[in-house]
Amino acid sequence: MTEQFDAELQELLNKIRQLEQQQQQNQQQLELLKNEVRIYLRSTQPAGHAALQDSDAKTKKNFGIEQFIGLKLLNFIGVIVLLIGIAIGVKLAIDTNLISPLLRITLAYISGSTLLAVSIFLHRKYQAFSAVLFSGAMATFYFTTYGAYDFYTLISRPFAFSLMVAFTIFTVWVSLRETRQEIAILGLVGAYGIPFLVGSNSGNIAALFSYIFIINSGILFISFRKEWDWLKILSFSFSWIILLSWLVIKYDFSRYSTGILFSILFFLQFTITICGFHILRKRVLNAADYVFIAVLSFFVYMALLLLYKNNHEEGVFAGVTLATAAVHIILAIAVYFLLHAYRLLSYFYVYIAIFLLILYVPLRFEGITISFSWIAMAVALFITGFWLNTRTPRFISIGLFAVTLIKLVIVDSMNFTTVEKIITYSSIGILLLIISFLYQKYRQLLFRKDE
């Protein structure tokens, strides 16, 4: 029975070899036929055709660069320069009182309407150019409405913000319908800089941040529909640069409520903007998203610190740091229980909270207490990472041990007594040896994933 089975198996193997050899022969014949076709085509082509092909390739490459400059770059630059020109003209009219405020606003609306009409007229034949003109028109409408309310109080707050909400909805609708990111970038993101080009002495910072919040809301909606990374990057950058610049240059504690309100609103708004697209489509967050989240947490932390920059009460910065850490822990818990597929995001918020708690220690304590607090945190992190077999807490633990040791050598050694030095160095040395021993003893368990 076994001999018969071996014979049948050998026969099948021989057939497989024959089929493989036949496939190789067919492949060789196919290559020969392709070569013959190429030779025939070359022989029948007019003289100089090959040279023309090379020339066409170079021309195509050159045309690609020229196409980008002529069809895209010049459009963007042209509309931006035009907007700057209109803004400077409005500013000149403001500074020199050449015309009445009502006439200034009327002329600005006429300019925007002209751009919009031209964009509609050219839409059928020149869609890309029409899209850029449309963006310029919407940006003009934005800054005109903002100026009519903030500079001249020609219109009421509800009416002004109703108009800007309508402009945002219309711009979002057109950009999604036409599937053109440049409309959103120039029409929405471009509107951020308009109040600064025109200039404002009203000091109505709440109006400015409300204006930015409305634009961000349109970008937030687009982020749920399209994966336009440049739109998110630009809106994120402009919003936080404007907010942090105000906190550094012009903020005073009398405007605390405005600062805290919009710091929190921007934080929540961009948290949803960064994560919403992926969560709705059940897609994992990528490395760039986690970088965004980390930078966002850093910006809101800096904003909260700047809100108290003129407050000299002891422990106020420590309190802000602890409160920010608590917020991130709450976010981590919410994500952990509500979004089961995004446990990694929950852990990431926990790591941010841990980093803030590490910062909290030197803001709250002094001297040897800092070192022992960091040592206790490092031990707790290592035990957590060891118990859960998770690498990141162990890395943070080792890094914290290193920072503590450097602090001891460079800073604390100058102030510690001999007894404090003995206790601290001995404690760190013993703990590091224990950790090293645990790594040696449980290396197969700890590094099983790597192996």
Side-chain angles (χ1 to χ4, degrees):
M1 186 70 178
T2 305
E3 293 178 356
Q4 183 179 358
F5 176 76
D6 291 341
E8 291 177 354
L9 179 62
Q10 188 63 40
E11 184 178 355
L12 288 172
L13 291 173
N14 291 333
K15 287 182 179 179
I16 290 171
R17 293 192 189 96
Q18 290 175 0
L19 290 171
E20 288 177 346
Q21 291 175 357
Q22 185 176 358
Q23 183 181 6
Q24 291 177 356
Q25 291 174 358
N26 291 337
Q27 188 68 29
Q28 291 174 356
Q29 290 177 357
L30 180 62
E31 291 297 329
L32 290 172
L33 287 172
K34 285 182 179 179
N35 288 330
E36 290 178 2
V37 170
R38 292 192 193 100
I39 293 169
Y40 174 77
L41 289 174
R42 288 174 185 170
S43 64
T44 57
Q45 285 173 354
H49 186 77
L52 284 173
Q53 284 184 329
D54 294 338
S55 176
D56 288 343
K58 293 178 181 178
T59 303
K60 186 176 181 181
K61 182 178 179 181
N62 293 332
F63 179 74
I65 297 171
E66 186 179 3
Q67 186 182 44
F68 170 75
I69 294 173
L71 299 182
K72 292 184 177 292
L73 189 60
L74 291 181
N75 288 348
F76 272 74
I77 295 174
V79 168
I80 291 171
V81 171
L82 177 60
L83 288 173
I84 292 173
I86 294 173
I88 293 173
V90 172
K91 182 172 175 58
L92 177 64
I94 293 171
D95 294 339
T96 58
N97 290 317
L98 291 176
I99 51 179
S100 66
L102 180 60
L103 185 56
R104 296 168 197 169
I105 295 301
T106 303
L107 290 176
Y109 272 124
I110 291 173
S111 299
S113 301
T114 302
L115 285 174
L116 180 61
V118 174
S119 72
I120 294 172
F121 179 75
L122 297 176
H123 176 263
R124 181 171 295 180
K125 292 185 177 180
Y126 307 99
Q127 292 185 0
F129 186 64
S130 171
V132 176
L133 291 179
F134 174 82
S135 306
M138 300 316 297
T140 303
F141 289 148
Y142 271 117
F143 83 74
T144 304
T145 305
Y146 180 83
Y149 161 67
D150 188 39
F151 302 159
Y152 307 119
T153 62
L154 293 174
I155 56 178
S156 65
R157 180 197 292 259
F159 184 65
F161 285 87
S162 298
L163 281 178
M164 285 193 280
V165 169
F167 295 149
T168 301
I169 293 171
F170 185 51
T171 306
V172 168
W173 177 72
V174 173
S175 65
L176 292 176
R177 190 192 69 173
E178 301 294 326
T179 319
R180 289 192 173 275
Q181 187 174 190
E182 59 265 34
I183 291 177
I185 289 176
L186 283 175
L188 294 174
V189 177
Y192 290 126
I194 297 303
F196 304 96
L197 288 173
V198 177
S200 173
N201 297 318
S202 68
N204 193 346
I205 201 66
L208 174 62
F209 289 144
S210 300
Y211 167 79
I212 293 173
F213 184 81
I214 291 171
I215 298 170
N216 287 346
S217 300
I219 292 170
L220 170 61
F221 181 78
I222 291 177
S223 71
F224 284 112
R225 303 292 302 275
K226 300 289 183 180
E227 199 169 5
W228 289 345
D229 292 333
W230 270 110
L231 187 60
K232 289 190 288 187
I233 292 170
L234 291 172
S235 63
F236 179 91
S237 302
F238 281 120
S239 298
W240 284 101
I241 287 171
I242 293 169
L243 176 60
L244 293 173
S245 298
W246 171 70
L247 289 171
V248 170
I249 299 170
K250 293 188 175 182
Y251 169 75
D252 59 75
F253 199 74
S254 64
R255 297 177 174 179
Y256 171 80
S257 57
T258 300
I260 191 71
L261 173 64
F262 285 100
S263 296
I264 294 171
L265 284 177
F266 286 175
F267 176 72
L268 295 175
Q269 196 173 46
F270 281 105
T271 298
I272 298 171
T273 301
I274 294 165
C275 303
F277 180 90
H278 300 285
I279 291 173
L280 283 180
R281 286 161 177 75
K282 298 180 179 180
R283 291 170 49 178
V284 297
L285 298 172
N286 55 41
D289 295 318
Y290 284 105
V291 171
F292 258 125
I293 293 168
V295 174
L296 177 60
S297 296
F298 173 74
F299 281 170
V300 74
Y301 175 61
M302 291 300 300
L304 294 175
L305 289 180
L306 289 169
L307 286 170
Y308 291 92
K309 66 178 181 178
N310 296 323
N311 190 324
H312 302 294
E313 294 181 15
E314 185 178 356
V316 65
F317 289 159
V320 170
T321 305
L322 187 61
T324 309
V327 168
H328 282 81
I329 291 173
I330 293 170
L331 285 172
I333 294 171
V335 172
Y336 187 88
F337 287 105
L338 298 178
L339 302 171
H340 300 291
Y342 294 89
R343 294 285 171 85
L344 184 59
L345 177 60
S346 175
Y347 300 149
F348 192 72
Y349 278 129
V350 170
Y351 297 143
I352 293 175
I354 290 170
F355 178 75
L356 289 167
L357 290 174
I358 292 170
L359 289 179
Y360 167 76
V361 171
L363 292 173
R364 179 66 179 82
F365 303 106
E366 294 180 355
I368 196 171
T369 309
I370 297 174
S371 300
F372 277 110
S373 299
W374 280 353
I375 290 171
M377 293 176 68
V379 171
L381 286 168
F382 183 81
I383 292 172
T384 302
F386 185 83
W387 183 264
L388 299 176
N389 194 14
T390 303
R391 178 182 297 176
T392 305
R394 299 198 301 263
F395 277 165
I396 298 174
S397 171
I398 294 171
L400 189 54
F401 271 120
V403 171
T404 306
L405 190 58
I406 292 169
K407 176 180 176 293
L408 284 170
V409 173
I410 297 176
V411 180
D412 294 342
S413 292
M414 301 175 64
N415 301 317
F416 278 6
T417 64
T418 304
V419 175
E420 288 175 335
K421 291 179 184 178
I422 293 171
I423 294 172
T424 308
Y425 279 109
S426 299
S427 301
I428 292 179
I430 291 169
L431 288 171
L432 291 176
L433 288 173
I434 292 172
I435 290 172
S436 178
F437 172 75
L438 291 174
Y439 269 114
Q440 297 295 326
K441 184 174 182 179
Y442 298 101
R443 64 181 300 275
Q444 292 184 346
L445 176 64
L446 293 174
F447 303 114
R448 181 168 56 194
K449 293 180 182 179
D450 295 338
E451 293 173 356

